[in-house]
Amino acid sequence: MDRLVKPDVTEVELTFRRGQRCAATFRVTNLMHTMSVAVSLSTASPSLFSFSQPYSIIPPLSSASYTLFLAPSDRPALSSPPDSITVRSSMLPTGKAHQDDLRRLFSRPGPHVFKDATMPIALVGLQVIEFLIRQKTQIRETDSLLKKAIPGCDKTQLTRLLNYAISCGDAGIVASLIDGGADVNDVYPDGTSLISLAVEAGNLEILKILIASGASVNNKNEHADRILHKAAAMDRVDLMEVLFKAFKDVIDPNEPNADGRTPLHVAAANGFVDAVRFCVEAGADADATDSAGSTPLHLAAAAGNAEAVEYLVEHSTYARHAVDGDGKTAFGIAAENGHSRLLDSLRLRDVLLRAARVDDVHGMKSCLAEGADVDARDQNGWTPLHRAAFKGRVESVKLLLSHGASVNAADDAGYTPLQCAVEAGHAHLAMLLIAHGARASPKDVDPLGSGAAKHRLDRPCFLYPLRREKGRA
């Protein structure tokens, strides 16, 4: 005979609850037809595990229930290999014996004692998995322990654990929980999806696992994930590339956050050049303004990142000239914050235009000597010559003309420096400009490569009414 009794399970699952006495019940059946059997139950860790009946008697062909208890603990008693229950038996012809008699019976080794079964103890449940997530690097055989623990959790518990595993950055456990039935499209009350959680954790592997498992993003306006914003804030172009590829029909590179900032604003504010490049290449508007009126260039200038500033200058149309809510240009912000190394990227055009307006001849000479474009334009298409002519700055006009300024350059509305001088009442400047080739009729103005003027004028420029300088004090 191989054995006298048989347990009804090959493994005992015990749901662990922190700080509580935990229990699991199983049954053992006497296989003998005519004789009672004495049974002994034991584990290798008697200080942790105990039984409702460590010694008992089972009548012929009968079964008995036993309860395994785990002492209260703040952490599950996990070991590799796991602890197990040893079931021993001995024939008991009389069918009767006291507990002390049974204890003595099994304390003596010999052929009268049979080792009928060894049942591993599997600790299962939510708190076991939580512990494994926290202590994975310190526990061997985590994967096998996890596989045993997962069946003890329902879908809600597995989803809760999935959130925790993502935050902890454990890709292996994330995959196991998803395989076990966790909901990959769970959404937090604040609208945060698991995709967003993976981005916050900065874990590319987890992000790919979630996408492959069918996870989606929350793009509702009031609770949008802002996943590109989060990735941009970390300069994680690798995350941004995966997100844009997987959700390009859902996410918008120009989507504003609560402050009106796009992902490009976020990248620029942190001086993250790679993220700035990705956003622009993905279609972000480099001239977009946030709720404070700041362009990405304003924010890059404030951050003091020269490479980001240079890239944005090159890829924006109006940002160099735009003023924020405080009336400051990107140049002004850079200067105010002491980022002198940025001034070469921002200053020459702005400084030259300003110097022409205030008749700062020395400043203009410095800018031109450093390579400033004598025909640099502002957001309205005005060149330094337009400004100097409108303000009546004779010396500035002479200097600009001597450096080859285009005397017939037309602004966005078709006005030339000559028209500006005449309308402002500076007859002496008008004559100076004519002497240098300025044409009286706006029909023949040179758009200077900026595209044809928006409208052509049929009357001589001397007949036009005085207009205010657009956007100028």
Side-chain angles (χ1 to χ4, degrees), residues 131-204:
F131 180 79
L132 289 172
I133 295 172
R134 291 196 304 271
Q135 305 291 331
K136 179 178 179 181
T137 57
Q138 303 175 27
I139 300 177
R140 294 182 301 168
E141 306 296 334
T142 294
D143 292 341
S144 61
L145 293 171
L146 190 65
K147 289 178 181 178
K148 292 179 180 179
I150 284 177
C153 300
D154 59 28
K155 183 173 183 177
T156 299
Q157 291 174 323
L158 290 175
T159 302
R160 170 183 162 186
L161 291 165
L162 178 58
N163 282 263
Y164 182 42
I166 292 171
S167 298
C168 292
D170 198 312
I173 293 182
V174 165
S176 295
L177 292 170
I178 292 173
D179 290 341
D183 182 8
V184 297
N185 284 308
D186 182 50
V187 178
Y188 276 63
D190 66 355
T192 301
S193 69
L194 298 191
I195 290 290
S196 183
L197 206 60
V199 172
E200 290 176 5
N203 195 302
L204 181 62

Side-chain angles (χ1 to χ4, degrees), residues 195 199 204 207 211 217 227-229 231 236-255 263 275 277-284:
I195 290 290
V199 172
L204 181 62
L207 179 61
I211 292 172
V217 297
I227 48 179
L228 284 182
H229 290 79
R236 290 295 302 273
V237 175
D238 55 343
L239 297 178
M240 298 173 78
E241 288 174 344
V242 171
L243 291 170
F244 203 72
K245 181 178 180 181
F247 305 111
K248 61 183 178 181
D249 295 330
V250 177
I251 57 178
D252 178 3
N254 287 303
E255 176 188 17
R277 288 195 186 98
F278 176 86
C279 290
V280 171
E281 291 172 2

Side-chain angles (χ1 to χ4, degrees), residues 38-54:
V39 174
S40 167
L41 303 175
S42 63
T43 70
S45 305
S47 62
L48 296 175
F49 297 102
S50 59
F51 298 92
S52 57
Q53 301 178 71

Side-chain angles (χ1 to χ4, degrees), residues 295 297-302 309 313 319-324 327-352 354 367:
T295 65
L297 183 60
H298 282 93
L299 302 179
V309 164
V313 166
R320 181 196 289 268
H321 314 291
V323 294
D324 62 12
K328 298 176 182 177
T329 63
F331 168 79
I333 291 175
E336 185 178 88
N337 286 275
H339 300 313
S340 58
R341 66 186 184 281
L342 303 183
L343 301 185
D344 286 341
S345 298
L346 295 169
R347 70 188 290 267
L348 295 180
R349 183 181 304 181
D350 293 341
V351 173
L352 178 60
R354 180 182 180 279
C367 288

Side-chain angles (χ1 to χ4, degrees), residues 56-77:
S56 63
I57 299 172
I58 305 177
L61 298 178
S62 298
S63 299
S65 294
Y66 300 90
T67 302
L68 171 70
F69 295 104
L70 174 62
S73 175
D74 289 334
R75 54 183 293 170

Side-chain angles (χ1 to χ4, degrees), residues 35 84 129 149 336 354 368-369:
M35 189 178 297
S84 60
I129 303 177
E336 185 178 88
R354 180 182 180 279
L368 293 168

